[in-house]
Amino acid sequence: MENKREIFHILTRRFGLLNKNCCSIGSFEISTIQSHILYEIDKQHAPSMQQIAEALAMDITTFSRQIQTLIKMDLVKKTPSTQDKRVSILNLTTPGKFVATTIEESMNAYLEEVFSHMNDSEKETVLRSIELLNVAMSKSTVCCTPLY
Amino acid sequence: MENKREIFHILTRRFGLLNKNCCSIGSFEISTIQSHILYEIDKQHAPSMQQIAEALAMDITTFSRQIQTLIKMDLVKKTPSTQDKRVSILNLTTPGKFVATTIEESMNAYLEEVFSHMNDSEKETVLRSIELLNVAMSKSTVCCTPLY
DNA sequence: GAATTTAGTTGTAACTTGCAAGTAATGATC
DNA sequence: GATCATTACTTGCAAGTTACAACTAAATTC
């Protein structure tokens, strides 16, 4: 059972590669982090800068500049909050929504293909296992605790 | 069953964070990529630059410079091959071995802790599932095919 | 209403990245 | 066996990413 580390290493590397490759949508060149930002803005409802930066465990200054480039690319828009004028509310623009959806779809297509190599009971088991793993990792005190 | 993407997204992000956090060993500050390089050199027997760069899907020029800094840190040594003088053979130095082992151990400790939140049958199932997943991903034509 | 905290932005300065263009060694071809 | 092509790796850029420190402006606390 000591191949645990090896198994996880391969899995990690593969996901790393997947993220690297994922992200050229038409004329848009999207980096890994940018795709995560789009995903997270899409998921949360009208989030602030801080919220997304924290969700992605990014330094706020780095995040600020990433948002600036996403705005220049017309994928994200930023509106000052009416309740608290310090806060900037983030939203996807129409092209931003399109890019996020496209990434989403290609990711789903990839997962469909991966799971097509399994039978139904295997699919079921694997998905349940990943959920189990997510829960177990969220309980860990070692790493990444403030996440989800 | 359409939370598939969501489940995998969380998993991916967590592994991303894990990799980010992993790598301060005593006085050494090791980046994610550097730890992957050390791991890969350790695993393969006296590999060439190309071999490792390819295994990690890195641009060879980027890799070349990474190796230069690892050599400066005295974690890696580079010897010209006797068979082919163009080729450089990579090996870990003693401190390099130490760092690789330490990362290995802290990774194992983390995994132990994660799995401690499961019962034996769950552990078994999850590990088997990850293996299944690795195999399925290796069969995919969409991404990352030349890997393992 | 002065002092502190919070949200976000800029100034650097160090680092990473990858393309283009290079060197040096090997292999292929005639 | 001289020439041409290929391979392994290195350097010159130029663009981008990162995070610390120091800033502004708004909100909260006391």
Side-chain angles (χ1 to χ4, degrees), chain B:
Chain B
M1 205 60 69
E2 245 347 294
N3 50 349
K4 216 183 281 175
R5 154 78 163 138
E6 172 76 12
I7 293 174
F8 275 88
H9 176 80
I10 294 177
L11 188 68
T12 309
R13 290 257 313 103
R14 237 190 263 283
F15 273 114
L17 278 183
L18 187 57
N19 271 322
K20 237 190 200 168
N21 288 18
C22 75
C23 302
S24 304
I25 310 298
S27 62
F28 292 103
E29 267 297 333
I30 307 286
S31 74
T32 306
I33 317 104
Q34 289 173 342
S35 86
H36 280 288
I37 294 174
L38 295 181
Y39 178 89
E40 211 62 42
I41 294 178
D42 202 21
K43 197 173 111 189
Q44 300 191 30
H45 177 65
S48 71
M49 304 263 297
Q50 294 282 348
Q51 274 172 49
I52 302 294
E54 198 172 329
L56 296 176
M58 283 180 75
D59 188 281
I60 186 71
T61 68
T62 305
F63 183 73
S64 171
R65 283 189 247 250
Q66 285 286 359
I67 287 294
Q68 282 168 32
T69 70
L70 285 171
I71 289 172
K72 261 187 223 127
M73 293 164 88
D74 192 30
L75 298 179
V76 168
K77 61 173 173 275
K78 203 169 64 173
T79 331
S81 161
T82 46
Q83 280 109 38
D84 185 337
K85 284 178 201 157
R86 292 169 306 174
V87 175
S88 290
I89 301 296
L90 299 174
N91 282 291
L92 298 186
T93 61
T94 307
K97 264 262 190 247
F98 171 74
V99 168
T101 308
T102 309
I103 293 174
E104 190 81 10
E105 276 163 9
S106 78
M107 211 62 173
N108 274 327
Y110 172 67
L111 287 175
E112 283 308 325
E113 200 225 338
V114 166
F115 278 87
S116 75
H117 297 108
M118 301 178 200
N119 65 43
D120 283 356
S121 113
E122 285 174 332
K123 274 181 215 182
E124 180 82 11
T125 310
V126 169
L127 281 176
R128 198 190 307 278
S129 290
I130 306 273
E131 282 181 302
L132 261 171
L133 192 58
N134 277 338
V135 172
M137 285 175 95
S138 77
K139 285 182 188 153
S140 167
T141 56
V142 177
C143 174
C144 326
T145 12
L147 175 61
Y148 300 99

Side-chain angles (χ1 to χ4, degrees), chain A residues 78-91:
Chain A
K78 203 170 63 173
T79 332
S81 162
T82 46
Q83 280 110 37
D84 185 336
K85 284 178 201 157
R86 292 170 306 175
V87 174
S88 290
I89 301 297
L90 300 174
N91 282 289

